Amino acid sequence: MKANGLKMVSIRLVDDPPIYSEDKIQNPNDAVQLLLKEFDSVDRELFFVLNMQTNGQVINVNIASMGTLNSCILSPREIFKASILSNAASVILMHNHPSGDCTPSKQDVSVTKRLVACGELIGITVLDHVILGKGTYLSMKEANMMPDGKKIYNEIAAENRVEYGKKPIPTISFYVAECMEFHSLGKVYQCRSLEQAVKRYRNLPEEMACMGNGIGFTIKDDESIYSGEFDLVSANRLDVDIINSIPYYRDSPLVQKAIEDIKRLMPEVKIIEPVQHGVQNPKERKQAR
């Protein structure tokens, strides 16, 4: 049987790209004059991206899309592809209206908002979106129509409770399972707090104890591979040794607080504590059983 080959790719440093223009772009008119000749003879919409350095010099220009008489199909992936490869710090978007009317359409406004948000996410600032008409142009920045990138980013991230420039904060929640090893064999109750989970656990029918019911926690942390479920109390035991054998849980204030809270809320549980150097006395393990 022929083995499937996996192509390997790499990114390497190359010589600095030539500057498209030594002149710095200081206002929309500078950008228009730079590309005016490119638009003179076209009869359809073209979408250009000026990739720029931090000092305002243009690294290169990319034709990101070529459309019909009145529309262009745009993808953020295509818009920013050349910008990323060019190591651009910022971009200016520019497209023409063959009709000659440079008034932004609803699609122009929507696309600009989307591209500004994408640029904010990847660290490439969208400085302006210039629309060319016949003998005139409109700068969305000068017309105060450019959206606030940080505000848009926060609106998008609000659902995940992420603030701009800040890492998401890990969270912990709790559940009670009638069968901790195989959740599908019984019911699972999601709880708003550990106190509610303890109350639910104590109210489980005694005949279900043989199923190995217990309390578990769920960590949500987008930056950790340990996001997910883990046992806290199982078969009326709190195995601190096993929990703390995972460095992430050992160092997590959320998990350690849950352990201390269980000790306080459920003094009747059997606690298996780790001993020095991670070795537990066999007698202690036997007593815990």
Side-chain angles (χ1 to χ4, degrees):
M1 183 176 179
K2 186 178 179 180
N4 292 327
L6 182 63
K7 292 182 178 180
M8 301 297 293
V9 298
S10 62
I11 298 175
R12 301 180 183 181
L13 292 176
V14 297
D15 292 338
D16 289 337
I19 302 300
Y20 187 86
S21 172
E22 294 293 336
D23 298 329
K24 296 180 181 179
I25 302 297
Q26 298 179 336
N27 53 61
N29 185 62
D30 291 342
V32 171
Q33 295 304 317
L34 187 65
L35 291 179
L36 195 57
K37 292 182 180 179
E38 306 291 339
F39 286 101
D40 274 347
S41 58
V42 298
D43 61 352
R44 63 196 63 205
E45 281 200 17
L46 295 180
F47 198 100
F48 282 75
V49 180
L50 280 72
N51 297 310
M52 303 175 63
Q53 294 185 330
T54 53
N55 63 0
Q57 286 184 317
V58 180
I59 303 171
N60 53 44
V61 179
N62 175 40
I63 302 178
S65 177
M66 180 180 294
T68 62
L69 291 175
N70 56 11
S71 67
C72 266
I73 298 175
L74 299 171
S75 165
R77 179 180 58 191
E78 299 302 322
I79 296 295
F80 289 105
K81 182 188 294 183
S83 306
I84 294 172
L85 294 176
S86 301
N87 199 28
S90 59
V91 297
I92 291 178
L93 311 176
M94 186 180 298
H95 83 281
N96 64 315
H97 283 178
S99 65
D101 183 2
C102 57
T103 303
S105 65
K106 289 183 179 179
Q107 184 184 15
D108 291 337
V109 175
S110 176
V111 165
T112 303
K113 182 176 180 180
R114 185 182 181 193
L115 295 178
V116 167
C118 291
E120 194 69 35
L121 182 63
I122 63 177
I124 298 178
T125 305
V126 178
L127 299 176
D128 199 354
H129 187 172
V130 180
I131 302 173
L132 296 178
K134 288 184 179 179
T136 184
Y137 69 87
L138 180 138
S139 161
M140 294 184 70
K141 181 178 181 180
E142 288 185 341
N144 294 321
M145 299 179 67
M146 284 296 290
D148 185 334
K150 293 182 180 180
K151 182 179 179 181
I152 296 173
Y153 182 96
N154 281 330
E155 289 175 355
I156 295 174
E159 295 180 1
N160 298 320
R161 292 180 293 177
V162 181
E163 294 182 32
Y164 178 78
K166 294 184 179 180
K167 294 182 179 181
I169 300 174
T171 61
I172 189 170
S173 58
F174 302 94
Y175 63 90
V176 174
E178 292 178 345
C179 180
M180 290 297 285
E181 187 170 1
F182 303 103
H183 289 183
S184 60
L185 295 182
K187 294 181 178 179
V188 177
Y189 305 92
Q190 300 297 328
C191 303
R192 294 189 300 271
S193 64
L194 184 55
E195 288 77 5
Q196 185 186 39
V198 170
K199 184 177 180 180
R200 169 66 73 174
Y201 175 76
R202 284 175 171 161
N203 288 336
L204 291 175
E206 291 185 6
E207 58 269 23
M208 288 189 175
C210 62
M211 296 178 64
N213 44 44
I215 300 173
F217 62 83
T218 303
I219 287 288
K220 183 178 179 182
D221 185 350
D222 295 338
E223 297 191 345
S224 172
I225 62 172
Y226 293 105
S227 287
E229 300 176 346
F230 201 83
D231 292 2
L232 184 59
V233 173
S234 182
N236 213 35
R237 298 193 329 170
L238 169 63
D239 198 331
V240 182
D241 190 18
I242 290 180
I243 296 174
N244 284 349
S245 67
I246 299 176
Y248 179 87
Y249 296 149
R250 182 195 63 210
D251 299 332
S252 168
L254 295 174
V255 175
Q256 294 305 309
K257 183 178 186 303
I259 291 173
E260 295 305 314
D261 286 345
I262 278 292
K263 293 178 181 179
R264 173 177 56 83
L265 295 169
M266 301 182 68
E268 71 276 14
V269 298
K270 298 175 183 178
I271 302 173
I272 302 178
E273 294 276 11
V275 296
Q276 191 175 8
H277 305 304
V279 180
Q280 192 173 31
N281 190 311
K283 291 184 178 179
E284 291 180 356
R285 286 189 177 273
K286 188 175 181 180
Q287 291 174 357
R289 295 192 185 95

